[in-house]
Amino acid sequence: MRPASLDGRAVGGRADAAAARRSASGATIRGRLARVALSTAQLLLPIALVALCAGPARAQGSPPPWHQGVSEERKQRAQALFEEARELHRRMMLAEARAKYEEALASWEHPELRIYLARVLASVGLPLLAHESLTLSLRWGPGWLTPELEQQARAAMRSLVEQELAAVEMHCDEPGAAVLLDGKPWFVAPGTGRRMVMPGEHVVVARKSGYFTVVRPIVVSAGKEASGRLALSVDAVVTRQRWPAWVPWATIGAGAALGVVGGGLMWHSDTSHRSTDERLRERCVPYCVPSDSDDYAGSVLEHQLGIGAVIAGGATVVTGTVLLFLNRPQSYRTEDRGGVKLELRPAASLGAAGLSARLVF
């Protein structure tokens, strides 16, 4: 047997070895996790750097669209004219300020210039031109102007639409039809056109070769929108008869048939009358003269019916001849069934809803 002290050392050695193996295994796992984390960080770091730098790089490499193709000289000239216009605007010299703003826009089409010009136009009582100028200031879409300027422009447009302007929207399905508003070309069908107008009466015209021209006045008040559909009808010369062609000929044929029947009855009645007369003569002595008898009644009735049939047949033939004359082909224009179905409603705005009126022409 081994001494107890030696056995204790053996047990302690085995425990220390097991602990060492566990420690080595944990270190190996932690090392692997660290390597995976490092590899992941190395992979994601370039992507993060590209994402962080892409925004500033795009902002620096893509200037606003109104800067493209404009020389510095034109920009400086527009800036100088803008300062002059602002000073005139502050001094309420609106006509002069408008001229300066328009001159600056001729050098540089800048959205901020458009907004300032719209303010002047609205102040001098030209809301339609002001709305057009604001529309041009926002034509590049959201996000290009500063939030404050964009909000001001949209608020000004909404105010003009709801208080000082009206809208006309028309739809036409007839291909090739030219639609005009107040005598000016608008759009060519098929399609829909929408335009801001001043309140009052306006005239919508739709025309196409071979079709009736549609001309309709439309009265629309401020803050309202006239929306409708245009329908055109064919303008053509149509040849028609009063009755089907067979009617007069059938009438003439029926009259002729009645005349033939009547003639046949008259001929048969005469034959029957002579036959009766001969039979009665045979019964008499040589000096006997036949007198009226019931034996003649049948032939007399038949003769009368034949005369009536001939008269009726003749009248029918005359009627058919008149119908044939009246049924000659006649040419006339088709009826104009076109027009405008118009609907009046509040102009498009944030709070507009519902239907205010409906007119059908």
Side-chain angles (χ1 to χ4, degrees):
M1 293 184 62
R2 294 181 180 179
S5 59
L6 293 178
D7 292 338
R9 288 196 193 102
V11 172
R14 286 195 298 271
D16 291 342
R21 285 195 299 271
R22 287 196 298 269
S23 176
S25 177
T28 302
I29 293 173
R30 285 193 295 273
R32 289 177 180 176
L33 292 175
R35 285 194 298 272
V36 171
L38 182 59
S39 299
T40 304
Q42 290 175 347
L43 178 63
L44 296 178
L45 183 59
I47 299 176
L49 291 175
V50 170
L52 290 173
C53 297
R58 185 172 61 248
Q60 293 175 3
S62 301
W66 56 85
H67 281 270
Q68 299 176 7
V70 182
S71 64
E72 289 298 326
E73 181 182 355
R74 291 174 57 185
K75 292 179 182 179
Q76 292 175 5
R77 174 174 171 76
Q79 182 65 34
L81 291 170
F82 174 68
E83 295 297 335
E84 295 180 27
R86 286 279 291 154
E87 180 61 26
L88 293 170
H89 198 168
R90 280 191 291 266
R91 293 162 56 187
M92 296 304 293
M93 300 174 67
L94 301 180
E96 293 81 358
R98 175 188 175 183
K100 288 294 182 181
Y101 283 133
E102 290 176 345
E103 189 177 355
L105 282 166
S107 295
W108 188 14
E109 182 64 39
H110 196 288
E112 191 170 350
L113 285 171
R114 283 287 175 189
I115 294 174
Y116 277 96
L117 175 61
R119 293 173 183 173
V120 173
L121 292 171
S123 299
V124 298
L126 298 172
L128 187 58
L129 292 178
H131 186 274
E132 292 176 358
S133 185
L134 289 169
T135 302
L136 289 174
S137 72
L138 297 172
R139 62 181 170 175
W140 287 286
W144 285 107
L145 294 174
T146 63
E148 182 181 0
L149 274 179
E150 185 172 343
Q151 183 178 2
Q152 290 177 6
R154 295 191 183 280
M157 288 179 67
R158 184 166 57 251
S159 176
L160 289 172
V161 169
E162 294 177 353
Q163 300 178 15
E164 300 187 57
L165 295 177
V168 176
E169 180 177 303
M170 285 292 155
H171 179 81
C172 183
D173 289 323
E174 187 60 46
V179 183
L180 296 84
L181 179 62
D182 295 332
K184 297 180 180 179
W186 191 2
F187 66 94
V188 177
T192 301
R194 189 178 190 274
R195 181 173 292 180
M196 303 303 300
V197 296
M198 294 296 295
E201 183 178 271
H202 300 272
V203 179
V204 175
V205 177
R207 61 192 182 193
K208 180 183 178 180
S209 178
Y211 289 74
F212 286 100
T213 298
V214 175
V215 180
R216 289 293 183 273
I218 297 173
V219 179
V220 60
S221 57
K224 302 297 180 183
E225 177 178 325
S227 176
R229 301 181 69 89
L230 294 162
L232 284 75
S233 58
V234 177
D235 180 10
V237 176
V238 179
T239 301
R240 291 183 181 176
Q241 294 176 307
R242 294 176 181 267
W243 307 282
W246 61 268
V247 172
W249 292 108
T251 305
I252 293 174
L258 279 173
V260 170
V261 171
L265 288 173
M266 292 176 64
W267 175 81
H268 189 269
S269 68
D270 288 342
T271 302
S272 178
H273 190 84
R274 286 193 300 269
S275 176
T276 301
D277 191 28
E278 291 176 358
R279 189 175 64 254
L280 291 176
R281 283 180 182 276
E282 290 177 355
R283 295 178 185 177
C284 294
V285 295
Y287 304 102
C288 175
V289 178
S291 60
D292 294 338
S293 171
D294 291 340
D295 294 331
Y296 293 100
S299 61
V300 171
L301 177 61
E302 192 175 18
H303 184 76
Q304 292 174 347
L305 290 175
I307 293 175
V310 169
I311 294 174
T316 304
V317 169
V318 171
T319 301
T321 304
V322 173
L323 292 178
L324 185 62
F325 176 80
L326 294 177
N327 202 39
R328 292 178 302 174
Q330 297 180 350
S331 299
Y332 60 93
R333 293 180 68 185
T334 54
E335 184 179 354
D336 183 7
R337 299 182 179 274
V340 181
K341 292 184 178 180
L342 184 66
E343 181 179 297
L344 296 179
R345 60 190 180 192
S349 65
L350 294 180
L355 185 65
S356 59
R358 185 181 182 87
L359 298 177
V360 177
F361 292 86

